[in-house]
Amino acid sequence: MIDEMIIAKKFSAEILDKAEKLKLAIPTVPEKLDSPFFFARFLNANNGDVEKTRQKILQLFEHRKLMGYDKISDLDIFTTVDIGRECFERFHISQLNYEVTSRNLHVFVQRMDGMDIKEILKIMPLSYVLHSYFMLQENFSRAMAHTERKTGKTSSVVCILDLKGLNLIDFMNPLSGPAQLARLVLCKLLLINPPGIISVMWQVTKRLVDSNTAEKLAFLNNVEDLKKYLEPDSIPVEYGGTYRDDTGYADPPEGACKPPKKITREEYKAQEYIWNENGIKTTSPGKLVWSYTASGDIDFEIVRRDAGKEIAIWPKITVTSLKLPEYGERCVTPGEYTLKFTNSSNTWFPVKINCAAEILNGVIVDVFGTGEAAVSGGAVWLKN
């Protein structure tokens, strides 16, 4: 009988050698993420490209610092960071127990029942979801680092994605957003309870995607098949295993997942939400608020200009436009700020941006940047 149990793949000698050299270029890895295989994992995900890997790692370090989840607990990432809390409370997900593994693998569960991606995007920008996947990556990376330091062996994450209750129109949305996350930390995505049409679609799609991506996905028609891939004590009781989450996080404990908070119509966000929310301020710190729509994919970030240098205050991500408003706010000190938009596509077609930004200071509201533009790369310049 063939052993189908999933194990974390070992890294090649070439990748491990490059990892040692990269470690000299980035000598300080945050303690919570540090493991014998930290650099090798990133290199493997980026096909051994050292410079690309270096940039990705620095981007990750910057993101965790700017978004404020670098020094807090795993649970606080889900419950106290504003963007993480607002996003994760709407998702039907489990948490990771560091001490529960299957052959050195951590198991994460996400259920689609009770979730509606279209409804979620009516109460928060898509960028909130993308930023939250960085935070989820942090959670996974911490668990893997803990296990790798403890065992000296490679670790990874297996995700059980329960498609029961799935809206077919939304199928690609939850998978496309964390694509880079899956490439970096997931060694397998086990999809259970798939609608029949999804399995048929996959038979066609897997011939169009690269072999590494196809290898990471497995559609299971019977939840009992999970035991072919994972040890029973890492599988929730509800799916035929023995694992229960009795920490108070999950409801019910046998399912290991926290039920999503229901969305009501009163929570829908109109495009002018961020302006209404910050219309009058009586405190002294200034607050930068922004709102924009884009006709295509863009890279978006905010920097502070100081003595000719640019200092990031909002991390750069690629936003896949759904023609819904993106918005945000951040307290700022006096200075000059630039909202930077870059067309991230490889075509010559421009992306149309409708953007408004204000710095609110005391009871005075000053409009410094507002308007419409078609850009291949552009910025809104603000001064507080």
Side-chain angles (χ1 to χ4, degrees):
M1 180 178 176
I2 299 176
D3 186 358
E4 296 183 76
M5 284 282 176
I6 306 170
I7 59 173
K9 291 185 177 180
K10 297 180 179 180
F11 299 113
S12 67
E14 179 185 3
I15 289 292
L16 291 173
D17 182 59
K18 287 184 176 182
E20 285 298 316
K21 295 176 181 177
L22 185 57
K23 191 172 183 179
L24 298 176
I26 310 176
T28 305
V29 175
E31 182 180 357
K32 293 179 183 293
L33 305 182
D34 198 7
S35 87
F37 306 106
F38 177 82
F39 292 102
R41 179 173 298 108
F42 273 82
L43 280 162
N44 202 57
N46 291 291
N47 300 314
D49 187 322
V50 175
E51 180 55 27
K52 183 178 180 181
T53 298
R54 187 186 70 84
Q55 293 175 5
K56 292 289 185 182
I57 290 175
L58 294 179
Q59 181 186 6
L60 172 64
F61 290 175
E62 182 177 75
H63 191 279
R64 62 199 302 275
K65 181 178 179 181
L66 291 176
M67 301 303 286
Y69 60 90
D70 54 331
K71 297 179 180 178
I72 61 178
S73 71
D74 291 8
L75 189 58
D76 281 345
I77 291 175
F78 291 88
T79 58
T80 65
V81 179
D82 289 344
I83 286 179
R85 183 190 70 251
E86 292 177 28
C87 180
F88 290 125
E89 69 182 4
R90 309 295 179 171
F91 282 75
H92 208 162
I93 56 177
S94 69
Q95 60 179 345
L96 293 181
N97 184 329
Y98 284 17
E99 305 309 321
V100 177
T101 60
S102 173
R103 301 196 179 185
N104 244 34
L105 298 172
H106 295 272
V107 179
F108 177 75
V109 182
Q110 178 173 349
R111 301 174 56 157
M112 297 305 295
D113 60 311
M115 289 175 48
D116 188 325
I117 298 296
K118 295 195 302 295
E119 288 295 293
I120 289 174
L121 293 177
K122 289 178 181 177
I123 65 171
M124 70 182 69
L126 175 64
S127 60
Y128 278 31
V129 180
L130 299 179
H131 284 302
S132 295
Y133 273 112
F134 271 86
M135 299 177 195
L136 187 60
Q137 176 182 305
E138 171 85 8
N139 189 241
F140 289 175
S141 296
R142 290 182 184 186
M144 290 187 297
H146 167 85
T147 298
E148 289 174 344
R149 290 194 299 265
K150 180 180 177 181
T151 66
K153 299 178 182 178
T154 55
S155 179
S156 192
V157 175
V158 174
C159 178
I160 299 174
L161 180 59
D162 188 347
L163 299 180
K164 184 179 180 180
L166 174 74
N167 183 335
L168 290 181
I169 296 175
D170 299 334
F171 175 65
M172 292 310 295
N173 225 21
L175 297 181
S176 59
Q180 291 300 316
L181 166 71
R183 185 173 177 80
L184 179 62
V185 298
L186 293 183
C187 66
K188 201 76 169 181
L189 179 61
L190 303 175
L191 298 103
I192 60 176
N193 297 317
I197 187 63
I198 293 295
S199 298
V200 174
M201 289 168 57
W202 173 241
Q203 295 306 313
V204 176
T205 304
K206 70 180 181 181
R207 291 172 170 77
L208 305 177
V209 300
D210 65 272
S211 58
N212 287 334
T213 300
E215 189 179 273
K216 289 178 181 289
L217 291 168
F219 285 84
L220 311 183
N221 292 315
N222 190 327
V223 294
E224 285 295 315
D225 289 341
L226 286 171
K227 294 176 184 175
K228 296 179 181 178
Y229 296 94
L230 301 168
E231 295 174 344
D233 57 2
S234 68
I235 302 172
V237 172
E238 200 169 287
Y239 296 127
T242 60
Y243 176 64
R244 294 169 48 97
D245 184 345
D246 292 306
T247 64
Y249 172 88
D251 183 18
E254 296 82 3
C257 289
K258 171 190 65 62
K261 183 179 178 181
K262 186 177 180 180
I263 295 173
T264 64
R265 292 185 64 86
E266 290 74 22
E267 296 176 285
Y268 288 179
K269 301 293 194 301
Q271 189 161 355
E272 63 272 14
Y273 161 78
I274 196 67
W275 314 107
N276 295 337
E277 186 75 4
N278 293 280
I280 298 177
K281 307 303 294 182
T282 58
T283 56
S284 56
K287 181 180 285 189
L288 168 61
V289 298
W290 64 89
S291 177
Y292 66 88
T293 58
S295 64
D297 295 355
I298 59 163
D299 291 342
F300 174 71
E301 63 180 318
I302 303 176
V303 298
R304 183 177 188 271
R305 301 172 62 186
D306 187 9
K309 297 181 180 179
E310 292 187 345
I311 302 169
I313 70 160
W314 191 259
K316 180 171 70 173
I317 61 169
T318 300
V319 179
T320 303
S321 175
L322 298 179
K323 298 186 179 178
L324 294 172
E326 291 288 338
Y327 54 78
E329 59 183 81
R330 171 131 301 190
C331 289
V332 294
T333 57
E336 299 177 8
Y337 297 87
T338 303
L339 281 68
K340 302 178 72 173
F341 300 88
T342 305
N343 187 340
S344 57
S345 72
N346 293 321
T347 69
W348 57 269
F349 293 104
V351 174
K352 183 178 180 181
I353 303 291
N354 286 282
C355 174
E358 298 179 3
I359 292 181
L360 313 174
N361 198 341
V363 295
I364 301 174
V365 179
D366 295 320
V367 180
F368 286 96
T370 181
E372 176 181 306
V375 300
S376 56
V380 175
W381 179 79
L382 307 173
K383 185 173 182 179
N384 181 15

